[in-house]
Every structure is written in structure tokens, then in C-alpha cells.
Amino acid sequence: MTANAAERAPRPRGSLTVGGLIMFVLGALLSWVPVLGPLVAGGAGGWYIGRGRAALGVALAPALLLGAATVLVLSVVELPVLGVVAGATLFLIVAVQQIPLLLGAYAAGQLRE
């Protein structure tokens, strides 16, 4: 194998689960830093994952799960319209608060790709 072939070999990509855990743990540890904390957490997790879109999906997963759980719970207690409105609202609130995390995850994943 020549030096050029070694340079062109694709880098191994990391696990989505481990990347998500990195984002979660670093986000919790750096939560006292307003914008840079989530940006660093998203960057570290996105770099580990190694794919921009996959890292973005992992970073959005908590917002999606919270919105879906709200819709499900309120539908079970026979308030489906309120569930949809509340679920969509919670999703948007969490997603907007995670903008630095989302940017860091996507940018680092794209850089490593």
C-alpha cells in the first residue's frame, strides 16, 4: 500500500449511540457555559460520529422523543388535539434551545466526513 492509498482510505466512523452519549455527558458537564458548552458537546459528538446528517439526527433525537411522548400521553387520556399542539410546541422549544448543539454536531460531522 502506497502513501497515497493510505491517505485516501476512508476514516472509520463512530457509533451513533456513543456519539449521542458524548453529546449528553459533555452537554451536562458544560451546561453552565451558555453557548460554547452545547457547541463543544455537539462538536465532540459529531466528530466522533463522523457524518454530518447522522450527527444532526442524533442531536435532534431528544426533541423528537419528547414531542412524540407528549402526543402519546395526551392521546391516551383522550386529548389528542392538545397532544399534537403541546408535542409540536415542546419539540420546537427544545430544538431552538439546542441550536448550538445542532450546529456543532453538523459542522464537526461534516469536517470529519
Side-chain angles (χ1 to χ4, degrees):
M1 183 182 283
T2 65
N4 283 339
E7 290 175 10
R8 290 186 206 146
R11 294 180 181 164
R13 295 180 177 170
S15 163
L16 297 178
T17 305
V18 176
L21 286 173
I22 289 171
M23 286 185 212
F24 176 75
V25 170
L26 281 178
L29 291 175
L30 298 173
S31 63
W32 57 277
V33 182
V35 175
L36 291 178
L39 189 65
V40 168
W47 184 264
Y48 184 82
I49 291 170
R51 298 179 303 264
R53 288 186 183 191
L56 191 64
V58 169
L60 268 177
L64 288 171
L65 290 174
L66 181 63
T70 303
V71 171
L72 182 66
V73 167
L74 288 175
S75 293
V76 167
V77 295
E78 297 180 2
L79 295 170
V81 174
L82 181 62
V84 169
V85 171
T89 303
L90 282 174
F91 168 75
L92 288 174
I93 288 172
V94 173
V96 167
Q97 289 178 347
Q98 288 184 336
I99 286 176
L101 182 82
L102 297 170
L103 290 174
Y106 184 73
Q110 285 295 101
L111 282 174
R112 186 163 179 216
E113 210 173 329

